Amino acid sequence: MKKWTFCIGFVFFFVLTAWAQEKETFALIETNLGTIKVKLYNDTPIHRDNFIRLAKSGHYNGTLFYRVIKNFIIQGGSSDSRGARPGQFIGFGEPITLDAEMKQHHYHKKGALAAPRQPDRVNFLKESDISQFYIVHGKKYTDEELDIIEKSVNIPIKNAIQRKYYTPEKKVLLDSLRKQKKVAEFREIAEKIKQDIAFEWNANTDKVYMPEDKREAYKTLGGVHHLDKEYTVFGEVVEGLDVIDKIAALPTDKNDRPSKDVTIKVKILD
């Protein structure tokens, strides 16, 4: 009896532990134009935990959405935007850098929550600055536009890989084997070239990855495709997309700061 009690207790403990590990964290981004509810991703734990830490410390409270570009993003959280006077150039608060946590399945659809960063010329590791954050407003794409995006990036990559393995020397060799009807030798070399090309193509991280769910999101919700693989997306909006629309529609000055201040308060929902 004791043995069974131990086993049941162990299984119960294991289930509770697994549930705790998968428990999702949500946050409210409260503004004077409405509230945005976001879910933080568990598979970007560095960004999730630091966003929670900063939110609980009040780091983002009282700051502004100071950079607003319709059909692109709304960005806020910079400490120097807190109490900024009208027309003040802001967005250069003290950075808090983190290692990038980019995932192919987290992309810049409308409502994506992501971390800005310094440009590649001074930040070749693409480290994030979690002292701020941005939310994607984006635009809707057509199938034709998405096809063009894929082909414009992927075709040159695939052609370069093919040239690497299907060299003029190997073409001459294969032509010679074909003329000599040396079928076994021809197939062996041709199959090796095919396998090498396929392996490098599958391993390539520069190609555009456009599965059906991503394509559908960019067509129906909208997004900003060219930010993918450049910035870490660590959450998404689950309520309040209409608030993003309101903020994105505000008139802005030459620095993309809204003429009406949009204040921020972030609350973690435990």
Side-chain angles (χ1 to χ4, degrees):
M1 186 65 179
K2 288 182 178 179
K3 183 177 180 180
W4 277 106
T5 303
F6 172 79
C7 290
I8 293 171
F10 179 80
V11 171
F12 185 68
F13 173 77
F14 179 82
V15 170
L16 279 179
T17 302
W19 176 83
Q21 289 175 342
E22 291 301 315
K23 183 181 177 183
E24 294 177 321
T25 303
F26 295 86
L28 296 180
I29 301 174
E30 300 173 344
T31 79
N32 48 316
L33 292 183
T35 298
I36 302 166
K37 184 177 181 179
V38 297
K39 175 176 71 175
L40 306 179
Y41 295 144
N42 286 333
D43 59 357
T44 53
I46 300 173
H47 286 69
R48 177 200 63 199
D49 293 349
N50 278 277
F51 183 82
I52 292 171
R53 175 180 63 83
L54 291 172
K56 287 186 173 181
S57 73
H59 172 85
Y60 302 116
N61 294 347
T63 64
L64 305 176
F65 275 113
Y66 70 89
R67 183 180 180 224
V68 170
I69 305 174
K70 190 176 182 180
N71 299 327
F72 186 49
I73 64 165
I74 61 172
Q75 183 171 335
S78 179
S79 58
D80 67 347
S81 69
R82 189 182 291 108
R85 62 185 181 277
Q88 181 181 338
F89 188 48
I90 50 182
F92 296 93
E94 190 67 29
I96 302 171
T97 56
L98 306 175
D99 290 341
E101 292 182 293
M102 296 174 200
K103 312 286 183 181
Q104 279 193 334
H105 55 282
H106 295 327
Y107 43 86
H108 285 77
K109 64 184 178 182
K110 183 177 182 178
L113 173 67
R117 64 176 179 85
Q118 291 295 306
D120 288 352
R121 65 179 181 274
V122 293
N123 180 23
F124 61 90
L125 294 177
K126 302 184 191 298
E127 292 175 316
S128 299
D129 176 9
I130 199 66
S131 72
Q132 305 184 35
F133 60 87
Y134 66 87
I135 302 174
V136 173
H137 185 235
K139 57 157 280 186
K140 292 181 182 178
Y141 296 87
T142 64
D143 272 317
E144 291 76 16
E145 288 173 320
L146 294 174
D147 288 341
I148 291 170
I149 289 167
E150 281 191 287
K151 290 176 182 178
S152 65
V153 175
N154 292 349
I155 289 176
I157 292 173
K158 185 166 283 188
N159 287 343
I161 294 172
Q162 289 174 339
R163 287 194 299 270
K164 179 178 177 179
Y165 293 101
Y166 188 49
T167 61
E169 294 78 14
K170 286 184 178 176
K171 184 179 185 303
V172 170
L173 176 58
L174 288 172
D175 288 343
S176 175
L177 292 173
R178 185 187 294 110
K179 290 176 182 177
Q180 297 176 58
K181 301 187 185 308
K182 294 183 177 181
V183 177
E185 293 93 329
F186 176 90
R187 285 180 176 172
E188 181 181 357
I189 295 172
E191 186 60 29
K192 180 65 167 59
I193 293 172
K194 183 179 177 181
Q195 289 175 358
D196 288 341
I197 290 172
F199 178 82
E200 186 155 337
W201 167 254
N202 290 331
N204 186 279
T205 57
D206 292 327
K207 64 179 182 288
V208 172
Y209 179 65
M210 195 76 71
E212 279 307 310
D213 63 329
K214 181 176 181 179
R215 178 177 282 265
E216 190 63 20
Y218 278 154
K219 289 192 309 180
T220 57
L221 274 177
V224 185
H225 82 89
H226 70 269
L227 298 181
D228 292 340
K229 299 190 296 184
E230 295 294 327
Y231 299 83
T232 295
V233 175
F234 64 94
E236 65 180 85
V237 172
V238 294
E239 294 177 21
L241 288 176
D242 59 318
V243 179
I244 298 173
D245 291 336
K246 290 179 187 177
I247 297 171
L250 293 172
T252 57
D253 64 17
K254 63 180 181 179
N255 296 315
D256 300 316
R257 177 179 171 180
S259 53
K260 174 183 178 179
D261 281 349
V262 182
T263 55
I264 293 171
K265 181 179 181 181
V266 180
K267 182 187 301 181
I268 304 298
L269 300 178
D270 293 317

